[in-house]
Amino acid sequence: MYNLKPGHSYPQGATVYEDGTNFAIYSENATAVSLEFYDTPYDEYPSETIHLKEKDGYIWHVFVSGIKPGTLYNYRIDGPYKPELGLRFNKNKLLIDPYARAITSDVTWNKSVYGYDTDSDQKDLSFSTENDSQFVPKSVVYKDNFDWKGVENPDIPWNNTLIYETHIKGFTKLRADIGENIRGTYSGLGSQKMIDYLKDLGITAVEIMPAQQEVTAEYLYDKKLTNYWGYDTIGYFAPDIRFSSTKKPGDQINEFKNMVKNLHENNIEVIMDVVYNHTAEGNELGPTLSFKGIDNLVYYKLQADNPRYYYDVTGTGNSLDAGHPQVLRLIMDSLRYWITEMHVDGFRFDLASALARQLYDVNSLSAFFDIIYQDPVISRVKLIAEPWDVGPGGYQVGEFPPMWAEWNGKYRDAIRHYWKDRGVNISEFATRISGSPDLYQTSGRRPHSSINYVTSHDGFTMYDLVSYTNKHNENNLNDNKDGTDDNISENFGIEGKTDDNKIKYLRNKRIRSFFITLLTSQGSPMILGGDEIMRTQNGNNNAYCQDNEISWYDWNLDDERLKLLNFVKNMVNIRKKYAVLRRRNFFKGEIIPGTDIKDVIWVKPDGTEMSEEDWTSGNNKAIGVILTAIGMERVFSEPVSYDNLMLIFNPTEDKINFSIPKRWKKAQIIIDSLPEHENFPIGISDTVLNIEPQSAYILEEP
């Protein structure tokens, strides 16, 4: 029998002291709260049950002497079960602590994990009396004991940032030159071999797909599929144990920290993809694992006229109610924890518009943004929004507040259209590669607010973008109905893989043109991991459930893939070398004081400057842009070149003669997208260049 004391209501979760552990959990509408301890993750009965008596501000709390790190625990919470009123308490269901620092496992699916009788015709209006202790993951008591050895966060300026979006498991699962026991784990990503790869590529930040504890939904489990992407979170403080090399509950915390420390030692930041817009508990027919049983009315948005049902703007069955003070506190506590305890450098918020909904409308002045803006910890890291959700008015690209960067879906679509449609959207193309000033300049933001990307985890890889006209998601076992049909892709004549050298050449050239476009655009570039080595998902544009070779990176690189890798490294080095590609401020399109030239000049193939009429006439497809470094702020700490560059883009099917200024007669081509060109620079000696079809060039002024 443990010695009990009242304890404290703050902080929430399990907090370890020398003589025991304080437990605190929030529930407004509960009538009773019990804390249970377990010896193993799959025990049917607890080793001890403690009934909490103290409650302050709806936070139930108790101090239990003798409880040490590694102890397994969960809660049972009693209260009214009235789904028609939004109340779903069920004391028969074991509940994960929302503040748990570690969680033991995924859910073991059994009908007892549902709060209702799944066999009843009344569905969720019925009540389940079955005990689910054996099947629900347990929370783990944890005390920080990690030595960071003085390693500090890199704190890389936004305009120097190059993001590499990757999946922790997929990145290293097939990597033969690291230990088999760490492939697909935090330790694998944090291994020196993989860090050297990222450094050699020029990456400054890895954006890891969700690494907070998630749940694989039962419908996927029944199909022998899995929640590979991880966008169904259940533990907002807990690193996902599936990426642990030991699978011992609690070990995943220090393993995650060690990964971060190793990356930081090599000047690489860690940005986490986080999912605070919904949880893994689904809709009214979903399981009761944590929030739903702790206080459904508090944690979720419910339909105003019928609170039995959830207000879903995420497409997953539920939406967290970020407007409720406790939910907002949970999110902020979680973010601060990952920053202060886990040392991450920033976050990418999945479906961020859902968090901005004040009541039911998207509002950029919502409490969520207000609190982040004034938080001295969270406001100082990199904050990236996926600026949309699936609800009304949810597409909010360009509408987020200052200090936020955004995944720029308009950039992605414009770049794809420009190359696929042979330049018909030249005006928008020019706007997007200029940092999208139409979206960000008037709100006090800088070009870096635009996270530029051609591909991401959600959709085709870059190789598939040039190899498939249609999605091929048959392996998802949903009759190929999932995933978008609007891919803005083309296959150059054959769907999928081919041995046709002409088609392979065209695909290689398009990929290089994409990379040149991406890495010369003003803003913050993001590369989808594996695009640099032609990673393919065989046409699957929604591989969320494919924890297999469809998603894992194939590191057996043939000559074609090695050549592309070297090309991308070269292109990244060019971006890092030339200051004019990483401007802190938007172009003005005006004469630079003390000179006779503009900071940016858009030119037609005949060498004359684009006029207002030229942008709208529809006659111009290919374009050149002269970027002038004169007058730029000298803000870079590393050695950089302040030379002027000229970019030339020809998306058409025809070879064109492109006139360049006379002073550029002895310029050199520092890179182009022709696969046969491997050695740069290439000197030129004329003012008219033959520009190949569907290709891009970068010239350096002599």
Side-chain angles (χ1 to χ4, degrees):
M1 191 72 178
Y2 294 104
N3 182 31
L4 306 182
K5 298 178 182 178
H8 305 283
S9 60
Y10 181 85
Q12 293 184 54
T15 306
V16 180
Y17 298 90
E18 286 187 7
D19 55 341
T21 300
N22 190 82
F23 294 87
I25 187 169
Y26 185 101
S27 181
E28 288 185 22
N29 298 292
T31 57
V33 175
S34 298
L35 172 65
E36 296 185 350
F37 298 118
Y38 286 82
D39 293 330
T40 76
Y42 304 104
D43 285 352
E44 184 175 0
Y45 300 106
S47 59
E48 189 76 33
T49 298
I50 294 170
H51 302 291
L52 279 64
K53 305 297 184 183
E54 301 292 333
K55 181 174 63 170
D56 293 300
Y58 301 120
I59 298 177
W60 302 68
H61 53 90
V62 67
F63 182 91
V64 187
S65 63
I67 294 297
K68 299 179 179 179
T71 302
L72 307 184
Y73 72 100
N74 268 356
Y75 290 96
R76 292 188 192 275
I77 298 184
D78 200 4
Y81 186 82
K82 297 180 178 179
E84 68 279 6
L85 300 179
L87 297 166
R88 295 181 179 272
F89 293 102
N90 188 332
K91 66 180 181 180
N92 301 301
K93 306 306 160 188
L94 200 61
L95 304 173
I96 300 166
D97 182 1
Y99 278 75
R101 285 354 187 210
I103 295 171
T104 58
S105 62
D106 199 350
V107 174
T108 300
W109 286 106
N110 181 278
K111 67 178 185 178
S112 65
V113 303
Y114 294 86
Y116 62 96
D117 181 356
T118 57
D119 296 324
S120 171
D121 292 338
Q122 290 187 301
K123 294 300 181 185
D124 64 302
L125 295 178
S126 64
F127 184 77
S128 170
T129 59
E130 295 189 42
N131 174 37
D132 63 352
S133 300
Q134 290 177 282
F135 310 107
V136 176
K138 308 304 185 290
S139 307
V140 184
V141 175
Y142 173 78
K143 181 176 177 60
D144 179 37
N145 60 356
F146 187 79
D147 184 3
W148 290 94
K149 299 186 182 299
V151 175
E152 297 183 355
N153 294 43
D155 195 22
I156 295 170
W158 260 117
N159 61 317
N160 290 353
T161 297
L162 175 58
I163 299 171
Y164 187 86
E165 188 199 21
T166 190
H167 187 279
I168 291 172
K169 181 175 183 177
F171 186 49
T172 63
K173 181 61 178 176
L174 299 179
R175 189 80 187 201
D177 55 355
I178 65 174
E180 185 175 0
N181 64 312
I182 65 169
R183 295 173 195 168
T185 70
Y186 301 118
S187 296
L189 175 55
S191 67
Q192 196 59 50
K193 181 68 69 173
M194 302 314 299
I195 289 174
D196 287 345
Y197 175 83
L198 293 169
K199 288 174 65 179
D200 193 38
L201 188 56
I203 300 303
T204 71
V206 287
E207 183 177 301
I208 55 175
M209 291 176 64
Q212 295 167 317
Q213 185 66 46
E214 57 85 41
V215 170
T216 289
E218 187 173 22
Y219 80 90
L220 289 175
Y221 180 82
D222 290 344
K223 294 179 178 180
K224 295 182 170 54
L225 297 172
T226 188
N227 184 1
Y228 174 71
W229 283 357
Y231 286 95
D232 266 341
T233 310
I234 199 63
Y236 289 120
F237 293 76
D240 200 322
I241 197 170
R242 66 190 169 128
F243 304 132
S244 166
S245 60
T246 70
K247 298 298 188 289
K248 180 181 176 182
D251 280 4
Q252 65 265 45
I253 302 175
N254 282 358
E255 188 172 347
F256 183 97
K257 290 179 177 180
N258 197 60
M259 173 193 74
V260 173
K261 180 176 76 69
N262 291 347
L263 287 162
H264 283 178
E265 283 181 317
N266 289 272
N267 212 37
I268 298 174
E269 294 184 320
V270 178
I271 297 172
M272 290 183 64
D273 192 339
V274 288
V275 189
Y276 293 108
N277 57 77
H278 74 277
T279 78
E281 291 186 298
N283 62 16
E284 72 278 2
L285 299 179
T288 297
L289 304 173
S290 182
F291 308 93
K292 189 179 288 186
I294 293 171
D295 203 326
N296 190 62
L297 271 177
V298 165
Y299 283 100
Y300 295 113
K301 286 182 179 292
L302 306 178
Q303 294 186 15
D305 57 345
N306 190 351
R308 174 186 175 185
Y309 300 106
Y310 294 83
Y311 182 75
D312 178 20
V313 294
T314 67
T316 63
N318 66 57
S319 302
L320 269 187
D321 185 3
H324 190 285
Q326 166 57 21
V327 181
L328 197 54
R329 184 180 191 177
L330 170 74
I331 295 172
M332 299 305 152
D333 286 348
S334 171
L335 292 172
R336 280 189 290 268
Y337 175 78
W338 287 101
I339 297 167
T340 60
E341 296 293 329
M342 310 299 270
H343 288 207
V344 303
D345 305 278
F347 305 95
R348 178 263 188 190
F349 292 80
D350 178 67
L351 300 182
S353 292
L355 297 172
R357 287 184 179 271
Q358 200 76 5
L359 296 179
Y360 300 103
D361 296 322
V362 178
N363 183 355
S364 63
L365 300 178
S366 72
F368 173 73
F369 291 121
D370 289 345
I371 290 181
I372 283 184
Y373 188 82
Q374 54 193 306
D375 189 285
V377 175
I378 304 172
S379 63
R380 297 181 64 183
V381 302
K382 289 183 169 71
L383 302 173
I384 303 171
E386 182 185 35
W388 51 77
D389 63 22
V390 300
Y395 192 75
Q396 293 287 311
V397 175
E399 299 298 326
F400 275 64
M403 88 179 181
W404 281 81
E406 301 175 8
W407 269 29
N408 191 343
K410 292 186 177 181
Y411 176 94
R412 173 200 60 204
D413 294 348
I415 303 311
R416 291 186 183 190
H417 273 302
Y418 180 75
W419 288 104
K420 177 180 183 291
D421 301 335
R422 312 309 189 245
V424 297
N425 63 334
I426 189 169
S427 179
E428 186 179 11
F429 174 78
T431 300
R432 298 296 157 239
I433 68 174
S434 299
S436 296
D438 61 324
L439 299 177
Y440 305 112
Q441 190 170 22
T442 58
S443 58
R445 291 193 275 177
R446 297 178 185 255
H448 74 249
S449 299
S450 176
I451 303 296
N452 298 330
Y453 66 104
V454 178
T455 52
S456 68
H457 72 272
D458 192 2
F460 280 149
T461 65
M462 195 175 289
Y463 176 85
D464 290 356
L465 190 65
V466 301
S467 303
Y468 295 90
T469 299
N470 303 302
K471 66 184 182 184
H472 296 271
N473 298 353
E474 291 81 7
N475 286 317
N476 295 356
L477 305 182
N478 194 31
D479 298 324
N480 204 32
K481 294 178 181 177
D482 61 302
T484 182
D485 293 314
D486 184 20
N487 296 291
I488 321 175
S489 63
E490 60 182 312
N491 62 22
F492 294 92
I494 294 178
E495 188 79 347
K497 295 180 180 179
T498 179
D499 293 324
D500 187 308
N501 288 327
K502 180 180 179 182
I503 292 176
K504 290 172 70 174
Y505 178 84
L506 292 173
R507 291 176 177 177
N508 267 286
K509 186 162 60 171
R510 174 63 58 79
I511 289 173
R512 285 163 168 78
S513 294
F514 277 142
F515 272 113
I516 290 176
T517 306
L518 175 65
L519 293 167
T520 58
S521 296
Q522 302 299 319
S524 304
M526 183 182 79
I527 295 173
L528 172 62
D531 276 354
E532 76 282 3
I533 54 172
M534 295 185 177
R535 183 171 73 90
T536 179
Q537 294 177 169
N538 301 321
N540 192 319
N541 72 353
N542 189 35
Y544 74 102
C545 56
Q546 299 298 327
D547 188 3
N548 50 50
E549 286 82 356
I550 290 175
S551 299
W552 302 340
Y553 295 26
D554 176 9
W555 292 104
N556 293 313
L557 305 184
D558 58 18
D559 186 60
E560 181 185 28
R561 297 169 72 201
L562 280 171
K563 286 181 178 178
L564 178 63
L565 177 59
N566 289 329
F567 170 87
V568 175
K569 290 178 184 178
N570 192 4
M571 190 59 238
V572 170
N573 285 332
I574 288 171
R575 181 177 179 84
K576 294 173 72 173
K577 177 180 177 180
Y578 293 93
V580 76
L581 297 177
R582 296 182 283 139
R583 294 174 57 95
R584 296 176 68 247
N585 298 303
F586 289 102
F587 294 118
K588 294 182 178 179
E590 300 172 353
I591 299 291
I592 300 169
T595 75
D596 60 351
I597 57 176
K598 298 179 180 179
D599 57 354
V600 60
I601 305 172
W602 303 91
V603 296
K604 296 180 289 186
D606 64 7
T608 60
E609 187 172 357
M610 291 280 287
S611 67
E612 289 294 330
E613 183 181 352
D614 290 328
W615 287 113
T616 58
S617 68
N619 296 325
N620 300 288
K621 306 292 190 298
I623 195 169
V625 53
I626 298 173
L627 308 176
T628 305
I630 298 172
M632 282 186 62
E633 295 178 85
R634 305 293 172 120
V635 297
F636 296 98
S637 57
E638 76 278 15
V640 297
S641 168
Y642 284 89
D643 290 327
N644 302 331
L645 298 179
M646 183 173 185
L647 316 177
I648 299 176
F649 303 99
N650 177 20
T652 73
E653 301 277 4
D654 303 315
K655 181 184 292 188
I656 62 174
N657 293 324
F658 207 107
S659 296
I660 60 176
K662 290 181 179 180
R663 69 177 187 274
W664 289 70
K665 181 177 180 180
K666 293 185 179 181
Q668 53 186 5
I669 300 171
I670 57 175
I671 201 166
D672 63 39
S673 53
L674 305 182
E676 66 269 25
H677 288 173
E678 297 180 49
N679 299 313
F680 296 98
I682 299 173
I684 59 177
S685 58
D686 199 351
T687 58
V688 178
L689 298 182
N690 292 318
I691 303 299
E692 293 293 325
Q694 301 206 1
S695 58
Y697 294 68
I698 306 178
L699 281 62
E700 180 188 50
E701 187 177 23

